[in-house]
């Protein structure tokens, strides 16, 4: 079976001055499935960009291998079906936005007609139509980021590799990018994006890999993580007897409405007790660790074991 | 396909570069001054006009070759354009070749443009102050053509240095040093191998010989004297020098492609 991204025991060691060595990646193995949105989460300097640069053939791995749709990443052909957005993209600023997209389209062997048509679509989608004929040097940081995203969408590839796609964007831009990622998912495209913002992963990803100190520390679906992070429930009760006497923690009381904190394993007993006491459950809210807490825990463990 | 795409991109970049536009304007202005300046020579106005024109053409091409050759790859790396360009399905060999071809093409166009202006300047000078020696129009064209080849080779060397360097200064000054050494190497070599050269130590003579064969011999491209005065020369020289240019440039670019294909774009 061919995966959009296959990474096997990938390692990268940078050699600095005075023979100093920095292990940026260690034994990274990872397969990304067709049609999934994968969040590559890690703190700054964890090895996210190094992994992506290896995938895009910009740097070579010290050990291990990486393939895109079965083709070794060092070959230019591996990038034919990939849309890549680098972190803080630098685009040729002497070109206009439309000229830049035309250059990218030609690099992907698109016809002039297809370039003109798709350029119009992606410029509209990224809200850059009005600025399309202006040189990129006159663009704001957010506009450059959006043009960078437009170039990844231009040739409608099957795989999108986005390095910190939300960086430099205002809330409207961030929301736009998330919408685009969701749209790509609906179209069955594969999205691999790196970030250090957990909320972005929680909002759009199917699966998440947490990398710290160059090592993959955790790999799971977002649903699983959120489910396993459930610690208990806050339950609002109207009426009923003295539930606190049964050992349940009451958080507050307001106008006959009481709120209890119920541990996960006592939930069924609690509900049964409420029924016995003739109370009425008004609201149940899940109390769980969010992805950020999970992420911080993993990174902390990674730092200890490294 | 990818070479063509990159070539067009680089030509666009060069044409839109305001510094190069200003340099081209200055060189054209200087050439237009040739008839006036050469008039200061009382007896050899036409010869001085040819010498000055060819010198201005040569200087213009030198500036273009150095400024473009030593910056065209470096600018991409320094401004991080390489991340976006080389992550497209374009191979690095084509990337380096497109850079060279764009510079070479620009040098040809610049030589044609500045050369045409110098023809006008020489024509004006020779018309106002006719010389006993007829103007060697054909030789002037050959001299400009050879100069163009020389500066294409210099640009290839500058590009080679940029593929290993991360700074602007190293390619720029290394190229100047190679150009100066390559322009003088023929004379130094002739001295070292002459009878007078036997007084120099053997190590120095060996070093001179090694350097002579390694760095390009830029003086071989100099046909200015034949363009100013009707000095006879063997036409085969033009073929030999052209062949020398082709072989040397091909080797230089092969090395540049080989190095850049292995370069880490961290």
């Amino acid at each position: 079976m061919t995966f959009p991204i296959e990474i096997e025991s990938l390692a990268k060691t940078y050699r600095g001055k005075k023979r100093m060595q920095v292990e940026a990646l260690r034994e990274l193995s990872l397969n990304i499935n067709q049609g999934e949105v994968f969040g590559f989460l890690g703190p700054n300097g964890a090895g996210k960009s190094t992994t992506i640069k290896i995938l895009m053939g910009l740097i070579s791995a010290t050990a291990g291998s990486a393939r895109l749709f079965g083709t070794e990443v060092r070959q230019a052909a591996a990038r034919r079906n990939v849309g890549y957005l680098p972190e803080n993209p630098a685009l040729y600023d002497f070109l206009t936005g439309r000229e830049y997209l035309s250059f990218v389209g030609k690099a992907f062997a698109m016809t002039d007609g297809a370039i003109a048509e798709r350029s119009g679509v992606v410029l509209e989608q990224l809200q850059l139509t009005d600025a399309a004929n202006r040189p990129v040097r006159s663009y704001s940081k957010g506009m450059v980021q959006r043009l960078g995203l437009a170039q990844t969408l231009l040739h409608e590839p099957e795989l999108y590799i986005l390095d910190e796609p939300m960086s430099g964007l205002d809330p409207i831009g961030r929301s736009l990018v998330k919408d685009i990622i969701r749209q790509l998912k609906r179209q069955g495209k594969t999205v691999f994006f790196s970030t250090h913002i957990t909320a972005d992963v929680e909002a759009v990803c199917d699966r998440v890999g947490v990398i710290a100190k160059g090592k993959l520390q955790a790999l799971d679906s977002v649903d699983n993580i959120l489910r396993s992070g459930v610690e208990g429930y806050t339950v609002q009760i109207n009426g009923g007897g003295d539930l606190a006497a049964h050992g349940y923690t009451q958080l507050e009381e307001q106008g006959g409405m009481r709120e209890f904190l119920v541990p996960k394993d006592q939930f069924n007993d609690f509900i049964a007790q409420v029924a016995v006491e003739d109370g009425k459950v008004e609201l149940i809210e899940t109390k769980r660790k969010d992805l950020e807490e999970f992420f911080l825990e993993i990174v902390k463990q990674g730092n200890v074991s490294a | 396909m990818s070479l063509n795409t990159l070539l067009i991109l680089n030509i666009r970049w060069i044409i839109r570069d305001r510094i190069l536009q200003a340099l081209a304007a200055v060189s054209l202005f200087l050439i237009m001054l040739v008839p006036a300046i050469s008039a200061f020579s009382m007896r050899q106005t036409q010869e001085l006009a040819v010498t000055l024109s060819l010198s201005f053409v040569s200087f213009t091409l030198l500036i273009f070759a150095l400024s473009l050759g030593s910056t065209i790859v470096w600018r991409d790396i320094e401004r991080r354009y390489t991340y976006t360009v080389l992550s497209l399905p374009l191979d690095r060999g084509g990337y380096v070749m497109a850079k060279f071809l764009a510079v070479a093409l620009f040098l040809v166009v610049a030589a044609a443009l500045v050369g045409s202006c110098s023809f006008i300047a020489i024509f004006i000078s020779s018309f106002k102050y006719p010389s006993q020696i007829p103007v060697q129009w054909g030789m002037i064209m050959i001299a400009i053509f050879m100069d163009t080849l020389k500066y294409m080779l210099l640009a290839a060397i500058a590009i080679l240095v940029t593929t290993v360097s991360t700074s602007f200064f190293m390619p720029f000054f290394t190229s100047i040093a190679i150009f100066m050494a390559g322009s003088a190497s023929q004379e130094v070599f002739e001295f070292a191998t002459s009878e007078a050269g036997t007084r120099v130590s053997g190590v120095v003579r060996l070093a001179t010989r090694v350097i002579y064969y390694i760095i390009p011999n830029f003086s071989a491209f100099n046909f200015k004297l034949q363009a100013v005065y009707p000095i006879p020369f063997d036409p085969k020289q033009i073929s030999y020098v052209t062949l020398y240019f082709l072989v040397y440039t091909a080797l230089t670019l092969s090395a540049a492609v080989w190095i850049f294909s292995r370069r880490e774009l961290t």
Side-chain angles (χ1 to χ4, degrees):
Chain A
M1 185 184 173
T2 308
F3 292 94
I5 299 177
E6 283 173 84
I7 298 173
E8 265 178 51
S9 308
L10 206 64
K12 177 69 186 174
T13 304
Y14 290 110
R15 283 172 181 80
K17 286 173 185 169
K18 295 179 184 172
R19 294 185 181 180
M20 205 179 77
Q21 294 196 344
V22 178
E23 275 191 300
L25 271 188
R26 290 181 288 165
E27 286 288 318
L28 176 68
S29 293
L30 185 63
N31 287 336
I32 307 300
N33 302 311
Q34 177 67 44
E36 80 172 331
V37 178
F38 187 90
F40 201 39
L41 197 59
N44 293 331
K48 303 187 298 289
S49 291
T50 297
T51 308
I52 289 177
K53 280 180 187 169
I54 292 172
L55 290 176
M56 298 314 299
L58 296 169
I59 57 174
S60 54
T62 312
S65 66
R67 285 177 292 277
L68 299 177
F69 296 105
T71 307
E72 280 294 329
V73 292
R74 290 299 288 184
Q75 296 176 36
R79 302 188 288 274
R80 270 196 204 126
N81 210 2
V82 180
Y84 167 58
L85 175 72
E87 186 181 3
N88 301 321
L91 312 175
Y92 284 118
D93 62 3
F94 59 92
L95 297 176
T96 65
R98 204 179 289 280
E99 284 172 342
Y100 184 74
L101 291 180
S102 170
F103 161 67
V104 172
K106 287 200 169 105
F108 282 103
M110 290 170 72
T111 62
D112 287 346
I115 292 171
E117 189 205 324
R118 286 291 304 156
S119 295
V121 171
V122 293
L123 285 167
E124 188 65 41
Q125 195 176 2
L126 273 304
Q127 297 163 8
L128 286 169
T129 308
D130 292 343
N133 297 321
R134 264 169 40 200
V136 174
R137 71 165 69 94
S138 69
Y139 283 20
S140 68
K141 196 182 169 193
M143 287 166 83
V144 172
Q145 184 82 1
R146 277 186 279 145
L147 183 61
L149 200 60
Q151 60 126 17
T152 67
L153 300 168
L154 185 75
H155 58 296
E156 299 180 277
E158 284 303 311
L159 171 63
Y160 294 80
I161 297 180
L162 315 173
D163 196 355
E164 308 275 359
M166 265 74 105
S167 122
L169 293 177
D170 58 19
I172 299 165
R174 295 168 79 89
S175 163
L176 182 70
V177 173
K178 283 180 207 168
D179 284 348
I180 288 171
I181 293 175
R182 286 190 196 104
Q183 199 178 322
L184 291 172
K185 181 174 167 50
R186 282 196 295 275
Q187 291 168 6
K189 310 280 188 185
T190 309
V191 182
F192 177 93
F193 79 90
S194 76
T195 183
H196 55 262
I197 302 165
T198 51
D200 294 341
V201 173
E202 208 169 325
V204 292
C205 289
D206 299 313
R207 218 154 52 107
V208 62
V210 180
I211 187 169
K213 301 254 172 186
K215 209 169 176 185
L216 192 64
Q217 309 285 348
L219 179 67
D220 207 343
S221 73
V222 173
D223 283 348
N224 270 351
I225 292 168
L226 295 180
R227 214 175 296 131
S228 66
V230 173
E231 292 172 322
Y233 304 88
T234 51
V235 185
Q236 282 186 11
I237 305 291
N238 197 355
D242 187 9
L243 290 162
H246 292 88
Y248 298 112
T249 314
Q250 185 173 322
L251 297 175
E252 59 182 273
E253 185 171 1
Q254 211 169 33
M257 195 78 83
R258 290 174 296 159
E259 190 174 83
F260 289 89
L261 176 64
V262 185
K264 194 176 161 185
D265 55 343
Q266 293 174 23
F267 181 72
N268 289 339
D269 295 343
F270 177 80
I271 295 296
Q273 192 61 41
V274 171
V276 170
E277 301 278 346
D278 208 20
K280 192 178 167 198
V281 176
E282 295 288 342
L283 183 72
I284 302 173
E285 278 179 344
T286 312
K287 190 175 183 312
R288 65 182 172 202
K289 283 184 197 166
D290 62 11
L291 202 58
E292 185 159 314
E293 284 172 86
F294 168 77
F295 169 63
L296 291 173
E297 220 168 75
I298 295 288
V299 170
K300 210 170 165 186
Q301 282 167 14
N303 285 345
V304 171
S305 63
Chain B
M1 178 64 190
S2 65
L3 184 71
N4 197 25
T5 306
L6 285 165
L7 182 60
I8 293 167
L9 173 87
N10 284 297
I11 289 170
R12 257 191 185 144
W13 189 350
I14 293 170
I15 291 170
R16 291 180 188 180
D17 190 316
R18 293 200 181 132
I19 296 170
L20 289 177
Q21 287 169 4
L23 283 173
V26 169
S27 65
L28 289 176
F29 173 72
L30 287 174
I31 283 178
M32 285 300 137
L33 290 179
V34 165
I37 298 170
S38 54
F40 286 107
S41 166
M42 301 301 282
R43 280 177 295 182
Q44 293 193 315
T45 308
Q46 178 192 296
E47 289 78 357
L48 184 61
V50 175
T51 308
L52 278 176
S53 296
L54 290 178
S55 299
F56 281 149
V57 171
S58 196
F59 184 70
T60 303
L61 295 181
L62 170 68
I63 297 294
F64 285 153
L66 276 176
S67 58
L68 280 172
S70 55
T71 59
I72 199 156
V73 174
W74 169 78
R75 269 203 292 192
D76 268 14
I77 296 170
E78 206 258 342
R79 295 185 187 176
R80 301 188 307 114
Y81 295 147
T82 41
Y83 292 153
T84 36
V85 177
L86 294 174
S87 59
L88 298 172
L90 304 168
D91 69 88
R92 293 195 187 188
Y95 172 85
V96 173
M97 286 307 295
K99 293 277 177 198
F100 170 74
L101 289 175
V103 177
L105 204 62
F106 180 75
L107 288 174
V108 170
V109 172
L113 187 69
V114 183
S116 303
C117 291
S118 65
F119 270 49
I120 296 168
I122 294 165
F123 178 77
I124 294 168
S125 293
S126 64
F127 183 76
K128 280 174 74 179
Y129 308 99
S131 166
Q132 286 179 328
I133 305 166
V135 179
Q136 312 285 311
W137 294 111
M139 275 315 300
I140 294 172
M141 280 177 76
I142 290 171
I144 293 173
F145 171 71
M146 286 298 164
D147 254 4
T148 312
L149 294 188
K150 177 167 76 174
Y151 293 115
M152 279 186 198
L153 175 55
L154 180 65
I157 289 166
I159 287 174
L160 170 65
V161 184
T162 57
T163 59
V164 290
S165 168
T166 48
S167 79
F168 161 75
F169 297 103
M170 188 189 155
F172 189 75
F173 290 109
T174 306
S175 305
I176 290 177
I178 290 174
F179 180 70
M180 288 169 75
S183 300
S185 66
Q186 182 71 45
E187 285 176 22
V188 176
F189 177 77
E190 280 169 11
F191 171 76
T193 51
S194 69
E195 207 176 311
T198 52
R199 276 173 284 175
V200 181
S201 84
V203 178
V204 174
R205 272 185 291 146
L206 181 68
T208 306
R209 194 178 285 268
V210 170
I211 291 169
Y212 175 73
Y213 286 117
I214 290 176
I215 63 168
N217 182 356
F218 287 115
S219 60
F221 295 86
N222 193 349
F223 284 77
K224 287 190 187 77
L225 207 58
Q226 287 90 334
V228 180
Y229 303 102
I231 299 168
F233 76 103
D234 185 357
K236 279 184 188 162
Q237 242 182 297
I238 297 170
S239 312
Y240 292 146
V241 176
T242 307
L243 187 66
Y244 178 78
F245 158 79
L246 289 173
V247 172
Y248 213 107
T249 306
L251 289 173
T252 307
L253 290 175
S254 301
V257 167
W258 190 83
I259 293 166
F260 195 70
S261 298
R262 281 151 189 80
R263 182 163 179 166
E264 298 273 90
L265 297 169
T266 48

